[in-house]
Amino acid sequence: MFARGGKLFPKALALTGTVGGALAVHQYMDSRRQSSALSNEVPVVSPIDPRPSVNLPSREDLLSNLQKTDKFDVLIIGGGASGAGSALDAATRGLNVACVEANDFASGTSSKSTKMAHGGVRYLEKAVFELSRAQLDLVIEALNERGHMLETAPHLCKILPIMIPVYSYWQVPYFFAGCKLYDWFAGKQNLRSSYLLSKTYASELAPMLDESKLKAGLVYHDGSFNDSRMNSTLAISAIEHGATVLNYVKVTQLLKDSSTNKVEGAIVEDQETGKQYQVKAKVTVNATGPYSDLILQMDKNKNGLPDPQPPQPANVSIATEVAVNKPNMVVPSAGVHIILPSYYCPKTVGLLDVKTADGRVMFFLPWQGKVLAGTTDIPMKTVPQNPTATEADIQDILRELQHYIKFPVRREDVLSAWAGIRPLVMDPRKRKDTGGSTEGLVRNHLIFTSETGLITLAGGKWTTYREMAEQTIDEVVKEGGFSVKPCITRKIKLAGGENWTPNLSALLAQHYKLSQAMSQHLSNNYGTRAPIICELFKEDERNQLPVAFGGRENVTVLHHVNFDSFRYPFTIGEFLYSIRHEYSRKATDFLMRRTRYAFLDAANALTAVEGTVKVMGDELNWDSARRQREIEECTEFIKTFGV
C-alpha cells in the first residue's frame, strides 16, 4: 500500500536513520550543490551514519518531577493552545515550569478550530464599517502572528489561497479593495498579493461552482494548519526545553496561604492511577479556555475547592454529559464544522462565502485531503463537557453550500461533524448582559490577575496563541518578581520544524522506499521527526500496516488482505511513535488528535478502534478489562462526530 513498485514491504535503504540522518542528508545535498555549481556535476548523496533520536522523559519521569520539586516557578493549568504555548514561552525564558491538562492535549476547543492561521477578513470588515479600533487591532495582531506560525512550524502550517466567488459586478471593486487592505495591514508579514480572476478562470479553478451566476473571483491568502498536532508539538517542544508537561492530570484543589489567601499551587490527581500530588508554585496560571470559570470558582473559595456539583443522572454517557460550568467570565458560543469529500472544493484553494443568510461568513477549505466546511455561531448558556454538532447545525451548513455548488449536496457525504466552544470572554470586572448574542464580541484575549495572585488567560484565537502566551508570561514574571531571559518564541522552531525543507518528503521517499502519499503524510505531520517513524518501519516491516489492521503477529495473512480498503495512511509505526514520543495514553488520543482519523472520517475510524486498542494495550500492558473499557469509550466518543 505504501511502497513503490507494488511491493508491500521493500527493504529500506540503510542510508539514514533518525532525525539527524535526514537533516544531514539535506545539509550534505546543499553543500554538494554549491561545490558542483562550477563543474556541472550532478549532486550524489552518500551514506550518512544514523544519529541518535530525540530522547524525551517518560510519563513516569514527569510525574516524578511533580513529586520531587519543592516549588515550581509557575504552574500552568490547561494543556490547550494557550496553556502549552505559555509553558513553552516560560521554559525558554529559564523558568521552572509545570503544566497539567485534565484530559489530553487539544482535547477541547484547540482541536476543533477552522484550522486557519488567519487575521480574520470578517473582523477587518467590521473594523472599517463600525470604526472599531478593537477589531482592527485584532486583525493586525493576528496577521502578524500568522507569519510567526508559518515560520516556527513550517511542516504543520501552509499558505492557502482562498477564493471569494463574486456574483454581482458591484462587488468586484468592494471585495478587491478589502483584500488589498488585508494585504496592506499584514505589512512585511503579507504572504502573497491578492488578485482578481475572470469568470472563466474562476470557473476553471472551482468547477463545482455554478458558473451561470458567477461574475468573477477574488483570491487572497491565509494559512492552514493542523491544530491538534500543533498543540501536541507545543507540549513536546516545552518538554524538550525542560518543562514538566503532563496530560491526564487534573487539578482538584487550589493551594492557598491560610494567612494571605494567595494561591501557591494546586493539588493534582493522575487520572490513570488516582495518585495525588501537591504541586507548589510561586505563580499559578489558569489557561483552561472555555472552562476558565471552573478554576475561578475554586479561586473564590477560601479552601480552593470547587463548588459542589449538581447530581448527574445515572448512566450519563459521554455524548449526553450535562453541563457543569455556569459561565461568568466566558461567553460561550458553539462553532460547528463538518468534513466532506474532496470534490466539494478545489484541492489547493479554499472558498469563502462572505455573507450567509444570517450574516456570518462560511469557509469551505481543503484540509488533509478532504473539505472542511463551517462554521456556525450559536450562543450557549452553559459549557458542556463534550459539545456535539446537532443535525440542525449540519443541515445549516449544507444548505449554505448548496447555494453555490451545482451538484446535489447530500447529507450522506458528511464524513464527520463536531462542535467546539469559542473562547469569547468578558472582563469579570466589567461584564454586561450581551442579550444572548455573541456575534458582536471581539475575540481579543484577556489576562486577568485576581486578588489571590491567580493569573487567568482566556479568549483570543488559535492564530494569536504565541502573543497571548508571551503576554501571560510577562505577567507571571511581574507577579513572581523573576529575572528571566527575553522571549524567543517568535523565532524558535517547534519540534519537527528544525531545518525542515519542502524536499523532506522526497528524501523520505528515496531513502526509505516509501510511496509519495506516505512520505508526504509523514513530512507534513511530523517534519524532521518523521525518520523516527521510518526507522520503526525498518525495524519491523509489519509496522507499515494500517493501524486498523490491529496486529503484527501473523504476517502470512498479509498476502490475503485487500489493502485498498484502508483509505488512510495511519500505520502501526506512527501509532507506536505517538505512544513513545508524544504521550498518547488512550485510543482517542491517536484516532482524534495525534492523527485526525475520526475528524476526517468518523465511520471509517470506528473500524480501527479495536485494532488501535490492541496495539496500545500490548504496548502499555493493559489487562482485558482495560482494553474492553477503552473500546467502549472510544467507540461511544467517535459516534458523537456525526455518525
Side-chain angles (χ1 to χ4, degrees), residues 257-282:
D257 185 284
S258 58
S259 58
T260 64
N261 198 38
K262 292 288 186 180
V263 173
E264 50 182 21
I267 295 176
V268 303
E269 182 180 295
D270 180 3
Q271 300 286 74
E272 295 185 355
T273 64
K275 183 176 180 179
Q276 292 195 335
Y277 301 83
Q278 182 173 275
V279 182
K280 289 198 170 183
K282 294 179 182 177

Side-chain angles (χ1 to χ4, degrees), residues 330-561:
V330 174
V331 183
S333 169
V336 171
H337 297 83
I338 65 174
I339 291 290
L340 297 161
S342 60
Y343 50 74
Y344 276 92
C345 181
K347 293 191 187 316
T348 58
V349 178
L351 298 174
L352 170 61
D353 176 3
V354 295
K355 198 81 168 177
T356 61
D358 60 1
R360 291 177 291 107
V361 299
M362 191 78 72
F363 287 99
F364 307 101
L365 309 172
W367 184 69
Q368 301 278 308
K370 305 294 183 185
V371 172
L372 183 150
T375 175
T376 62
D377 186 14
I378 304 166
M380 305 182 72
K381 293 183 178 180
T382 58
V383 180
Q385 291 294 320
N386 180 41
T388 57
T390 67
E391 186 60 30
D393 297 329
I394 296 171
Q395 292 295 340
D396 181 36
I397 296 174
L398 294 177
R399 276 194 303 271
E400 200 60 43
L401 184 58
Q402 188 64 82
H403 294 161
Y404 306 97
I405 302 296
K406 60 184 178 183
F407 52 78
V409 175
R410 307 182 306 169
R411 173 61 176 88
E412 53 265 39
D413 283 345
V414 176
L415 301 173
S416 183
W418 65 88
I421 304 300
R422 284 195 181 89
L424 304 174
V425 294
M426 287 288 236
D427 191 325
R429 298 161 295 190
K430 305 175 183 178
R431 182 181 172 91
K432 296 179 181 179
D433 187 3
T434 61
S437 173
T438 63
E439 192 269 341
L441 291 172
V442 179
R443 291 187 65 186
N444 284 335
H445 61 276
L446 174 68
I447 299 172
F448 168 69
T449 303
S450 68
E451 294 178 356
T452 64
L454 176 71
I455 298 173
T456 296
L457 165 63
K461 50 192 287 188
W462 236 118
T463 309
T464 58
Y465 86 88
R466 193 215 60 82
E467 185 172 56
M468 291 160 57
E470 179 182 357
Q471 293 177 5
T472 300
I473 302 307
D474 286 345
E475 184 68 14
V476 167
V477 170
K478 177 183 174 183
E479 185 72 18
F482 301 114
S483 177
V484 298
K485 303 172 186 175
C487 175
I488 61 171
T489 53
R490 284 185 179 87
K491 296 184 178 179
I492 191 173
K493 296 289 185 182
L494 301 184
E498 315 94 334
N499 298 306
W500 184 86
T501 165
N503 294 320
L504 178 59
S505 62
L507 290 171
L508 294 174
Q510 289 178 344
H511 298 301
Y512 289 99
K513 294 294 183 181
L514 301 176
S515 69
Q516 183 179 5
M518 176 55 71
S519 60
Q520 287 180 343
H521 167 71
L522 294 178
S523 173
N524 290 336
N525 286 283
Y526 300 91
T528 49
R529 305 297 167 93
I532 301 176
I533 298 173
C534 295
E535 285 298 306
L536 290 170
F537 292 166
K538 210 168 96 171
E539 177 185 301
D540 187 340
E541 292 176 336
R542 292 169 296 179
N543 284 338
Q544 294 188 49
L545 280 168
V547 69
F549 188 78
R552 297 163 291 175
E553 297 84 357
N554 191 357
V555 72
T556 58
V557 303
L558 300 182
H559 302 293
H560 308 292
V561 174

Side-chain angles (χ1 to χ4, degrees), residues 584-601:
S584 288
R585 305 301 297 176
K586 293 187 175 184
T588 50
D589 298 347
F590 181 73
L591 294 176
M592 309 294 298
R593 292 174 287 273
R594 303 303 184 278
T595 68
R596 312 316 305 274
Y597 202 161
F599 277 80
L600 293 171
D601 192 335

Side-chain angles (χ1 to χ4, degrees), residues 175-247:
F175 290 155
F176 185 75
C179 289
K180 286 301 180 183
L181 198 59
Y182 195 63
D183 294 345
W184 185 75
F185 278 119
K188 293 181 180 179
Q189 295 281 18
N190 189 37
L191 304 179
R192 292 172 187 165
S193 294
S194 304
Y195 56 88
L196 179 67
L197 290 175
S198 68
K199 172 181 176 177
T200 300
Y201 283 117
S203 297
E204 289 179 359
L205 182 63
M208 65 285 302
L209 297 180
D210 186 353
E211 69 276 6
S212 66
K213 302 177 182 177
L214 198 62
K215 300 296 186 291
L218 252 298
V219 178
Y220 73 98
H221 300 83
D222 260 325
S224 176
F225 75 113
N226 189 331
D227 52 5
S228 69
R229 285 215 53 79
M230 183 79 172
N231 197 154
S232 60
T233 299
L234 284 169
I236 300 305
S237 300
I239 293 171
E240 289 179 357
H241 283 87
T244 298
V245 184
L246 282 154
N247 54 354

Side-chain angles (χ1 to χ4, degrees), residues 70-86:
D70 292 333
K71 180 174 281 191
F72 288 92
D73 292 329
V74 56
L75 167 64
I76 299 169
I77 306 171
S82 58
S86 296

